[in-house]
C-alpha cells in the first residue's frame, strides 16, 4: 500500500521533470532519467541506479534524481539508510518538496528513528498540500508498546491536532473509546473518519461504529440508518442488529 502510493508519487514527479527538462533542452539528463525509469520497469535496478547517478553527476541540484535513487534503495533494495542519504540531499535543494519529505519520513519510521520521523510528520502537516501522510500501523504498535491506554489516547489527540486527516490515528482512537464503552467520545472520532475518509479507512466499519455509538446513546433511528448504510456498502451486518 505505502509502496504503491510512493510509486504514484514518483510517476507524478517524473511527469514534472520531463516538462522541465524538455523546456530547458537538457536532452542528456532527460535521456538518463528516462532510461533509468525503463530499467526500473524491467527490474534492472543496478542499471537504473547507474543512469540516475550519472544524471546526478551532471546536475547535482536535480531533486528528481535523488527521489529516484531514494525510491530504489528504499523499496526495491531495502537499504533504508542509503535511501535516507539521498532523500536528505534532495531536500537540501528542494526543502518544500512534499513527496521527498514524505518518503524520508517513512524511511525514518522503517529504521525505527521515530524522533526524526515525527519531526517530519509535523513539518509535512504544515505544508500547503493535501495531506496524505499517516502513522504506519506497525510503527504505532511499537510506539504504543509501553504506553497505557490514557497515554495512547493523549498521543493520538496530540498528532490529530497537527494532522486531522490521519485516518490510522482516528481508527486507533475510535476503537479505544469503543473498547472503553465511551460512546460519547467515540462518536466524534467516527464522524471525523467520515469527513477525512481515505483508501486506508473502511467506510462500512465506520458506519457500523456510528451505529453502535448511536444505539448506546439512545439514538435508535439514527443507529438503524447507519446500519443500513453499512450494509449498503458491503459491510456484513448480522440480521439481529436490525431487530434490536
Amino acid at each position: 500500500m505505502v509502496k504503491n502510493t510512493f510509486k504514484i508519487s514518483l510517476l507524478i514527479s517524473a511527469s514534472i521533470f520531463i516538462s522541465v527538462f524538455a523546456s530547458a533542452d537538457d536532452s542528456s539528463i532527460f535521456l538518463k532519467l528516462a532510461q533509468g525509469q525503463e530499467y526500473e520497469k524491467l527490474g534492472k535496478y543496478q542499471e537504473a541506479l547507474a543512469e540516475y547517478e550519472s544524471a546526478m553527476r551532471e546536475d547535482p541540484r536535480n531533486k528528481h534524481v535523488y527521489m529516484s535513487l531514494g525510491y530504489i534503495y528504499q523499496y526495491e533494495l531495502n537499504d533504508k539508510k542509503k535511501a535516507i542519504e539521498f532523500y536528505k540531499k534532495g531536500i537540501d535543494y528542494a526543502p518544500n518538496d512534499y513527496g521527498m519529505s514524505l518518503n524520508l519520513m517513512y524511511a525514518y519510521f522503517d529504521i525505527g528513528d521515530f524522533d526524526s520521523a515525527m519531526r517530519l510528520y509535523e513539518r509535512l502537516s504544515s505544508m500547503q498540500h493535501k495531506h496524505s501522510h499517516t502513522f504506519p500501523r506497525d510503527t504505532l504498535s511499537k510506539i504504543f508498546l509501553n504506553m497505557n491506554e490514557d497515554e495512547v489516547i493523549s498521543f493520538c489527540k496530540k498528532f490529530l491536532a497537527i494532522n486531522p486527516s490521519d485516518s490510522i490515528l482516528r481508527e486507533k482512537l475510535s476503537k479505544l473509546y469503543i473498547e472503553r464503552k465511551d460512546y460519547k467520545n467515540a462518536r466524534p472520532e467516527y464522524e471525523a473518519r467520515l469527513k477525512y475518509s481515505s483508501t486506508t479507512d473502511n467506510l462500512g466499519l465506520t458506519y457500523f461504529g456510528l451505529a453502535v455509538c448511536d444505539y448506546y446513546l439512545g439514538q435508535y433511528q439514527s443507529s438503524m440508518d447507519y446500519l443500513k448504510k453499512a450494509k449498503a456498502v458491503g459491510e456484513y451486518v448480522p440480521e439481529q442488529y436490525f431487530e434490536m
Side-chain angles (χ1 to χ4, degrees), residues 67-105:
M67 176 75 100
S68 298
L69 286 164
Y71 181 90
I72 291 178
Y73 278 110
Q74 184 174 9
Y75 294 108
E76 307 300 352
L77 302 180
N78 198 33
D79 188 340
K80 315 299 183 183
K81 291 184 178 180
K82 194 71 173 177
I84 288 170
E85 177 186 326
F86 283 114
Y87 290 144
K88 288 175 71 176
K89 286 181 180 178
I91 288 172
D92 284 343
Y93 300 116
N96 296 317
D97 187 278
Y98 183 90
M100 190 90 69
S101 296
L102 187 69
N103 284 16
L104 179 57
M105 180 191 76

Side-chain angles (χ1 to χ4, degrees), residues 9 15-16 83-85 136-137 141 150-151 154 173-174 199 201 214 227 243:
S9 172
S15 67
I16 294 171
I84 288 170
E85 177 186 326
R137 287 188 176 88
S141 297
D150 288 334
E151 290 170 330
S154 179
L173 192 53
S174 57
T199 54
D201 215 351
D214 281 356
L227 284 175
E243 301 167 2

Side-chain angles (χ1 to χ4, degrees), residues 21-32:
F21 289 123
S23 63
D25 195 29
D26 196 338
S27 57
S28 175
I29 293 174
F30 168 75
L31 288 173
K32 286 180 170 63

Side-chain angles (χ1 to χ4, degrees), residues 56-67:
M56 180 180 64
R57 287 191 292 273
E58 283 194 44
D59 183 7
R61 301 181 66 84
N62 187 296
K63 69 175 184 178
H64 303 291
V65 175
Y66 297 109
M67 176 75 100

Side-chain angles (χ1 to χ4, degrees), residues 211-223:
V212 170
C213 291
D214 281 356
Y215 177 82
Y216 286 105
L217 292 172
Q219 304 296 321
Y220 302 119
Q221 185 57 55
S222 176
S223 177

Side-chain angles (χ1 to χ4, degrees), residues 148-159:
N148 60 41
E149 283 189 358
D150 288 334
E151 290 170 330
V152 170
I153 289 171
S154 179
F155 180 97
C156 291
K157 285 183 174 181
K158 173 187 174 182
F159 284 98

Side-chain angles (χ1 to χ4, degrees), residues 13-228:
S13 294
S15 67
I16 294 171
F17 74 65
I18 286 172
S19 64
V20 169
F21 289 123
S23 63
D25 195 29
D26 196 338
S27 57
S28 175
I29 293 174
F30 168 75
L31 288 173
K32 286 180 170 63
L33 292 167
Q35 185 60 61
Q37 286 192 342
E38 288 303 311
Y39 281 134
E40 277 194 72
K41 291 176 185 176
L42 297 172
K44 296 182 177 181
Y45 302 119
Q46 294 302 327
E47 290 88 342
L49 289 174
E51 294 293 338
Y52 295 144
E53 287 168 356
S54 178
M56 180 180 64
R57 287 191 292 273
E58 283 194 44
D59 183 7
R61 301 181 66 84
N62 187 296
K63 69 175 184 178
H64 303 291
V65 175
Y66 297 109
M67 176 75 100
S68 298
L69 286 164
Y71 181 90
I72 291 178
Y73 278 110
Q74 184 174 9
Y75 294 108
E76 307 300 352
L77 302 180
N78 198 33
D79 188 340
K80 315 299 183 183
K81 291 184 178 180
K82 194 71 173 177
I84 288 170
E85 177 186 326
F86 283 114
Y87 290 144
K88 288 175 71 176
K89 286 181 180 178
I91 288 172
D92 284 343
Y93 300 116
N96 296 317
D97 187 278
Y98 183 90
M100 190 90 69
S101 296
L102 187 69
N103 284 16
L104 179 57
M105 180 191 76
Y106 281 105
Y108 276 132
F109 275 135
D110 285 339
I111 66 170
D113 185 350
F114 299 145
D115 289 340
S116 295
M118 286 188 276
R119 281 196 296 272
L120 269 170
Y121 182 99
E122 294 187 37
R123 188 165 179 277
L124 285 165
S125 302
S126 69
M127 291 183 180
Q128 297 299 315
H129 193 284
K130 182 180 179 182
H131 297 156
S132 61
H133 55 288
T134 65
F135 279 87
R137 287 188 176 88
D138 57 342
T139 295
L140 283 178
S141 297
K142 294 173 184 176
I143 292 173
F144 294 156
L145 192 60
N146 297 313
M147 290 187 185
N148 60 41
E149 283 189 358
D150 288 334
E151 290 170 330
V152 170
I153 289 171
S154 179
F155 180 97
C156 291
K157 285 183 174 181
K158 173 187 174 182
F159 284 98
L160 283 170
I162 297 167
N163 176 23
S165 66
D166 191 322
S167 57
I168 305 301
L169 288 180
R170 291 278 179 204
E171 177 186 302
K172 179 65 178 180
L173 192 53
S174 57
K175 284 182 178 179
L176 261 178
Y177 282 136
I178 286 289
E179 289 168 4
R180 287 184 159 197
K181 297 182 170 56
D182 185 351
Y183 305 110
K184 185 176 180 180
N185 279 315
R187 196 184 195 289
E189 296 306 323
Y190 281 108
E191 285 182 322
R193 285 172 67 174
L194 279 182
K195 180 180 179 180
Y196 298 107
S197 61
S198 69
T199 54
T200 61
D201 215 351
N202 185 310
L203 189 59
L205 286 177
T206 303
Y207 284 139
F208 189 80
L210 282 164
V212 170
C213 291
D214 281 356
Y215 177 82
Y216 286 105
L217 292 172
Q219 304 296 321
Y220 302 119
Q221 185 57 55
S222 176
S223 177
M224 181 64 69
D225 291 342
Y226 280 121
L227 284 175
K228 290 176 181 177

